Amino acid sequence: MSERDEHEPMAADDSITESAAEPEAEPEPGREPDAQAEPEPDSPPEPQPDSQPAPKRRKRLRKTKITALVLVALLLVVTGSGAWYIHHTVDASFPQVSGTLTVPGLDGQVEVDRNAQGVPQIYAASSHDLFFTQGYVQAQDRFWQMDVYRHITAGRLSEMFGSSQLSTDEFIRTMGWYSIAQQEYSQLSPSTQASLLAYSAGVNAYLKDHTGAKASVEYAILGLQTSYTPYAWTPVDSIAWLKALAWDLRDNLQDEIDRSLSTQKLTTAQVDQLFPDYPSSHPDIVNQGAVADGAFDQNATPTASTASTVLPAGAVGAMSQLSTLIKDLPQTLSPEVQGVGSNSWVVSGSLTTTGQPLLANDPHLGPELPSIWYQMGLHCTTVDAACPYDVAGFTMPGTPGVVIGHTDTVAWGFTNGTEDVTDLVLEKVTGDTYLYDGRQVPLTEHKETIKVAGGDPVTITVRQTNQGPLVSDADTDLASVGKDAPVAPVSASASASASASASGDDAAPARGSAGYAVALRWTALTPTKTMDALFEVDQATDWNSFRAAAKDFAVPSQNMIYADTSGNIGYQTPGQIPIRKAGDGTWPVPGWTDAYEWTGYIPFDELPHELNPKAGFIVTANNPIISSSGYPYLLSKDFDYGYRANEITQRLTQATSNGGKIDADGMRAIEADTTNEFAETLVPYLESAPTASSTAADKALLANWNFTTPANSAAAAYFYEVYYYLLKDAFMSKLPSSVDVDGGDRWFTVVSDLLPDASSDWWSDPSAPSVHGRDALLGLAMDQAAQYLSQKYGSDASKWQWGDLHTLTPTNQTLGTGGPGIVKSFLNGDAIPVAGGSAVVDANGFDIAEGFDVNEVPSMRMVVDLSDLDHSTWVNLTGASGHVKDPNYLDQLPLWQNQKTLPWPFTRAAVLAATKNKLVLEP
């Protein structure tokens, strides 16, 4: 069994362990193992058939032990009279969705209309009652999820799940998300503060009468181990989740680590080959305009860029422990594939059948059950200055307002901008001081006390430099993070602006006994007004008010697309994007000099934006925002490589060329696109490579393949298996075990760039000394793939199916990720075959080193029709409810799986026509 086929052994009583994308795998019969699963601690290592170590698997939320009492109790529950007990316990948490409820704290009557999918539309006479009810209703359906979210962001998981969560809590406390959220609250506008307070009051009104199993069945299970009781919700709990979202979308931090780790075995030239330039054939988002007179002008002529591209003069280190810690974070914070992405595009009415814009969006995130999204409508019964909301879309449980959706005049979508907003900074620490510009500066220190369920509180010391918190302090295993960092003298261009180092010249300072510490410089670690922006965009009425809202959207930096009922389409880059004195953010930098400081942020007016571009459509898919040759600021060196953006652009161009028009069905068809552009590049080389005669029938699958990847495709199954062996033979065996070869968009470009060179040193396999050259290695990969698939799925290649390899298992991210099998089977859904793959538009991604289990998904899909908002459609990954066995727990999953969407009623008449349950809340 290969390293991607078997997961780390888990104890039978674990409750929180691997991600939703990593269910326990059964041994695959007939497959020659590539590497065994990691042994349990204190057990002797098992023999490794391969000569090179397997890539280190991406661990997720650390394990929380559930005592044997839980297993015994649950077994009793499902036998005899226990069947009544479990039925009663599950039903106890189902919310009241019809009739009348008296809820103290409201000012007036509020109506909540739910359709057959349980999606609520709220109608209230005041902003206070609107957001109060949003908090109440979200808590009805999703409070367990909300409670876990806030414990993550506050570094308080240990008080729910015990000491196994200490490492995660220590890391989050070191970064200080909650304290930053507290500072942000005091800086928000009075109206935002009032709405946050109203939302919190609504959540707490629900909690007043719903504790334990009445709140969610997970509390009943957890109660068999601990005495945890939820505490009151606060506005800061809502704000802090924005930090988790920003961490999930921070983008290139792992690339920065992997570059450094790769230098343990590779030259810098070889590392550069693994981080190639963006393909020139792929599009940027903004294809016109430049900065002129202190503002971005979409009609200006680009001039030569002055963006800094100076690399640090070394500053690379063995950061494997830091990498491991980051990968050990909860799935909600650290997706298994590097560079999670999203698709969004908007088309002008001049190119649509309705004459009005169409807008599509499908954010790509790690799969969760329940989904990270919660569909909802927020409607003031009279829209005026006192109650300005008439908005519907996708909300996040625990956060008031609508994150992605539309008002009665404006629609918008988000994708990750992939701007580089983080730096790892090497620090020379001596005692309680650190070196900066030739002098020893005192570290800033404070204590954090972490409560631990079933144990004593743990107190840690958080240390910080002027660059940020010392993340290398966050775990005892990280004491030597920077120990072996070979740091060259500061470059001439950088040292010109730097003060003398401790030795009086430009040499790096000597290491201490533990080497260098590592600080994290990140835009999210300073207070921002992003929460203001969320409320402002929900009130937007036109392009100008939309851009005004975007100005406050600081972290995470996103691509924002726009359309309105007046026929306009637009794009805006928001966010705090740093301006670096030197360096391009691709390598860790020295912290003992000011040469690599951030000097500020790109002014908002100079960030790329456009209104009604000449092309008639705008596509964002995490690809570069604007060509660096004509833009004076560095946005990032680590954008997505543009395969999805290119496919969407080509589809839109084809649909609208020669007078053609696109409709909403055409937009949805693009969301379902499974074309693998890279396959079109690789397959001709595969067809020319020599293979064993026994592989001929399998190889023939590629002859007439159209490069699409539906779940029933035999050719896709064979292609991806070949691709796995190609990456394993050419790259995995040559890289440090801590560097992940995930097989995503970057690896598409790496292989594409190397294919023309038939004699590249990469085309060899240390475990097969007789294999030399591109064609021989490709032939070997095809033979290996054919042998494996024949053993696993039978010798008839025509019966292989991509969906047999490529599955999604909806998994509860806490108690459903491990522990007794009965708990997992109770909380989780069944594995389903899915289409698509990494770096295709239908982006059901995977980490190929671990297998093809899906760990990144289009977390929702929507198409907004600005000609008639009631003709818009949407679908969530799972369902509205977070309560297991509720009819709306997983009801949207089959639609999502089969690329179907639901009607999205918006006007009052349409909502009433779709209403199945009406609930009236009274003060």
Side-chain angles (χ1 to χ4, degrees):
M1 183 182 315
S2 78
E3 59 267 22
R4 63 201 180 89
D5 298 321
E6 184 177 60
H7 299 297
E8 179 179 299
M10 66 175 65
D13 61 349
D14 291 345
S15 72
I16 297 186
T17 172
E18 305 305 322
S19 75
E22 295 184 311
E24 290 180 282
E26 295 296 327
E28 296 185 348
R31 181 162 199 168
E32 182 66 21
D34 294 326
Q36 300 297 325
E38 296 177 24
E40 291 287 356
D42 301 324
S43 65
E46 299 185 23
Q48 302 290 318
D50 283 342
S51 60
Q52 296 293 332
K56 182 171 291 185
R57 53 187 310 282
R58 289 181 175 273
K59 298 178 183 177
R60 291 297 170 236
L61 194 53
R62 297 177 185 271
K63 300 175 182 177
T64 295
K65 300 293 184 180
I66 292 268
T67 64
L69 173 64
V70 177
L71 181 57
V72 173
L74 286 170
L75 290 174
L76 291 174
V77 160
V78 296
T79 60
S81 61
W84 173 88
Y85 173 79
I86 193 168
H87 179 77
H88 175 75
T89 302
V90 171
D91 286 357
S93 65
F94 290 1
Q96 179 177 339
V97 295
S98 61
T100 302
L101 274 175
T102 299
V103 182
L106 288 170
D107 294 331
Q109 190 178 88
V110 180
E111 185 173 314
V112 182
D113 298 329
R114 294 178 187 256
N115 65 8
Q117 289 74 41
V119 175
Q121 304 274 350
I122 300 173
Y123 293 87
S126 69
S127 295
H128 171 273
D129 284 0
L130 191 67
F131 293 111
F132 180 101
T133 306
Q134 184 182 17
Y136 189 92
V137 170
Q138 283 191 349
Q140 280 187 307
D141 282 337
R142 299 286 191 91
F143 184 72
W144 168 263
Q145 181 184 27
M146 293 163 58
D147 201 16
V148 172
Y149 278 4
R150 66 171 169 168
H151 277 77
I152 291 172
T153 57
R156 296 177 63 171
L157 280 173
S158 296
E159 70 183 55
M160 287 186 80
F161 301 112
S163 60
S164 65
Q165 299 304 303
L166 269 171
S167 293
T168 294
D169 285 346
E170 290 172 5
F171 192 58
I172 302 301
R173 294 285 186 102
T174 296
M175 288 190 285
W177 292 356
Y178 197 80
S179 63
I180 296 165
Q182 289 175 314
Q183 298 172 56
E184 288 184 349
Y185 177 72
S186 64
Q187 298 179 15
L188 297 174
S189 70
S191 63
T192 297
Q193 290 181 346
S195 296
L196 285 164
L197 287 168
Y199 178 89
S200 298
V203 175
N204 293 329
Y206 180 78
L207 289 181
K208 183 178 179 182
D209 300 317
H210 298 82
T211 58
K214 288 185 177 181
S216 194
V217 70
E218 289 93 338
Y219 289 108
I221 298 172
L222 190 68
L224 296 171
Q225 174 188 312
T226 73
S227 59
Y228 170 76
T229 301
Y231 49 89
W233 194 270
T234 72
V236 178
D237 293 331
S238 297
I239 298 169
W241 182 245
L242 296 178
K243 302 301 176 186
L245 183 63
W247 178 262
D248 197 9
L249 300 174
R250 69 201 180 280
D251 200 58
N252 88 320
L253 186 61
Q254 190 62 47
D255 285 342
E256 193 171 328
I257 294 171
D258 285 350
R259 281 186 177 92
S260 297
L261 296 176
S262 297
T263 60
Q264 297 175 53
K265 288 192 171 185
L266 305 176
T267 67
T268 55
Q270 290 173 315
V271 173
D272 287 343
Q273 287 182 305
L274 302 185
F275 292 86
D277 292 335
Y278 183 72
S280 59
S281 61
H282 289 175
D284 300 326
I285 295 173
V286 177
N287 297 303
Q288 59 189 80
V291 174
D293 299 324
F296 187 84
D297 182 350
Q298 71 182 74
N299 297 312
T301 302
T303 57
S305 172
T306 58
S308 171
T309 58
V310 178
L311 285 173
V316 295
M319 296 190 178
S320 57
Q321 292 296 334
L322 178 59
S323 178
T324 298
L325 178 62
I326 290 173
K327 294 170 186 176
D328 274 348
L329 291 176
Q331 164 70 8
T332 52
L333 301 181
S334 191
E336 294 175 59
V337 287
Q338 297 180 28
V340 291
S342 304
N343 302 322
S344 73
W345 63 96
V346 60
V347 183
S348 168
S350 64
L351 300 177
T352 69
T353 57
T354 65
Q356 288 282 23
L358 292 167
L359 183 148
N361 196 189
D362 55 285
H364 306 158
L365 298 167
E368 296 185 40
L369 176 62
S371 168
I372 192 173
W373 299 111
Y374 183 82
Q375 295 151 289
M376 206 171 204
L378 303 172
H379 309 276
C380 295
T381 51
T382 299
V383 179
D384 55 23
C387 193
Y389 299 98
D390 187 15
V391 60
F394 293 87
T395 73
M396 286 187 168
T399 302
V402 170
V403 178
I404 296 174
H406 67 80
T407 69
D408 61 336
T409 59
V410 165
W412 70 95
F414 286 139
T415 64
N416 191 12
T418 64
E419 296 93 334
D420 188 351
V421 296
T422 59
D423 277 341
L424 291 175
V425 184
L426 299 175
E427 301 281 15
K428 176 63 172 67
V429 174
T430 303
D432 59 359
T433 68
Y434 65 98
L435 180 65
Y436 184 72
D437 275 358
R439 61 189 184 92
Q440 296 297 129
V441 181
L443 289 163
T444 300
E445 298 183 359
H446 72 276
K447 304 289 186 182
E448 292 278 343
T449 299
I450 302 171
K451 297 179 181 178
V452 181
D456 296 328
V458 173
T459 299
I460 64 171
T461 299
V462 176
R463 303 191 299 171
Q464 184 165 336
T465 72
N466 62 340
Q467 305 298 330
L470 291 181
V471 289
S472 53
D473 283 355
D475 191 284
T476 55
D477 292 337
L478 298 179
S480 60
V481 164
K483 182 178 180 180
D484 300 319
V487 184
V490 179
S491 64
S493 60
S495 61
S497 61
S499 300
S501 66
S503 62
D505 54 30
D506 66 351
R511 296 175 178 83
S513 59
Y516 300 121
V518 182
L520 175 64
R521 184 194 291 157
W522 182 29
T523 55
L525 299 184
T526 56
T528 70
K529 302 179 74 173
T530 299
M531 187 60 74
D532 276 343
L534 292 179
F535 286 99
E536 291 162 359
V537 76
D538 284 354
Q539 302 173 55
T541 58
D542 56 21
W543 174 244
N544 290 333
S545 55
F546 178 79
R547 285 200 71 215
K551 189 171 186 178
D552 284 333
F553 202 100
V555 177
S557 184
Q558 297 284 284
N559 297 308
M560 300 178 71
I561 61 169
Y562 167 92
D564 63 35
T565 53
S566 297
N568 299 300
I569 66 171
Y571 166 84
Q572 175 68 56
T573 299
Q576 291 183 343
I577 305 169
I579 301 172
R580 294 170 171 86
K581 271 188 181 180
D584 60 5
T586 57
W587 298 86
V589 298
W592 45 84
T593 168
D594 67 0
Y596 300 96
E597 293 279 7
W598 293 356
T599 60
Y601 301 107
I602 301 173
F604 179 77
D605 286 340
E606 299 186 30
L607 291 171
H609 57 271
E610 59 184 0
L611 181 67
N612 299 323
K614 298 172 185 176
F617 58 80
I618 302 166
V619 175
T620 83
N622 321 114
N623 49 317
I625 294 170
I626 189 169
S627 173
S628 60
S629 63
Y631 189 66
Y633 297 107
L634 177 67
L635 297 175
S636 179
K637 298 285 285 187
D638 289 314
F639 287 106
D640 182 274
Y641 281 80
Y643 292 89
R644 290 176 289 113
N646 195 49
E647 180 66 19
I648 295 167
T649 299
Q650 289 183 351
R651 290 285 299 265
L652 290 173
T653 300
Q654 292 167 1
T656 59
S657 61
N658 300 318
K661 307 285 186 179
I662 192 169
D663 59 12
D665 285 340
M667 299 282 279
R668 287 185 281 270
I670 295 176
E671 285 185 324
D673 189 296
T674 67
T675 303
N676 185 320
E677 177 189 334
F678 168 65
E680 188 172 1
T681 299
L682 180 58
V683 165
Y685 288 94
L686 296 176
E687 291 180 314
S688 300
T691 55
S693 58
S694 59
T695 306
D698 314 312
K699 186 176 180 179
L701 292 172
L702 303 177
N704 298 309
W705 183 34
N706 63 358
F707 311 119
T708 62
T709 55
N712 64 356
S713 173
Y718 182 53
F719 171 81
Y720 277 112
E721 200 64 47
V722 171
Y723 181 45
Y724 161 70
Y725 279 105
L726 168 60
L727 294 178
K728 175 181 177 293
D729 297 341
F731 303 103
M732 295 179 191
S733 59
K734 302 179 180 71
L735 286 165
S737 60
S738 52
V739 175
D740 189 35
V741 181
D742 63 12
D745 61 289
R746 176 163 62 86
W747 292 100
F748 282 7
T749 302
V750 169
V751 175
S752 296
D753 287 354
L754 291 172
L755 281 171
D757 183 0
S759 59
S760 169
D761 290 340
W762 291 106
W763 305 128
S764 63
D765 179 5
S767 65
S770 62
V771 175
H772 296 288
R774 178 196 62 208
D775 293 345
L777 188 132
L778 294 180
L780 173 65
M782 285 192 286
D783 289 339
Q784 290 171 319
Q787 181 181 8
Y788 167 68
L789 289 171
S790 294
Q791 292 173 343
K792 175 72 174 175
Y793 300 106
S795 59
D796 186 348
S798 67
K799 294 183 179 180
W800 298 342
Q801 295 198 42
W802 173 224
D804 288 340
L805 288 73
H806 189 230
T807 62
L808 170 67
T809 303
T811 305
N812 181 294
Q813 286 301 307
T814 52
L815 302 181
T817 57
I822 192 171
V823 174
K824 293 189 292 184
S825 63
F826 177 60
L827 293 175
N828 300 337
D830 297 326
I832 59 171
V834 292
S838 300
V840 302
V841 178
D842 186 18
N844 294 307
F846 47 83
D847 184 337
I848 202 168
E850 300 296 331
F852 298 110
D853 290 339
V854 173
N855 56 20
E856 176 191 15
V857 294
S859 55
M860 62 81 161
R861 298 185 182 100
M862 75 175 195
V863 173
V864 181
D865 186 343
L866 277 299
S867 71
D868 186 341
L869 293 170
D870 289 332
H871 287 169
S872 303
T873 58
W874 59 0
V875 71
N876 207 343
L877 175 65
T878 54
S881 178
H883 300 294
V884 65
K885 306 306 178 184
D886 185 282
N888 300 131
Y889 188 57
L890 279 168
D891 60 318
Q892 294 188 47
L893 181 64
L895 296 170
W896 176 94
Q897 177 191 14
N898 293 294
Q899 304 290 351
K900 305 296 184 183
T901 52
L902 291 162
W904 180 353
F906 178 73
T907 64
R908 184 69 174 128
V911 169
L912 287 173
T915 295
K916 179 181 179 181
N917 292 296
K918 184 184 301 292
L919 176 67
V920 176
L921 303 182
E922 295 181 337

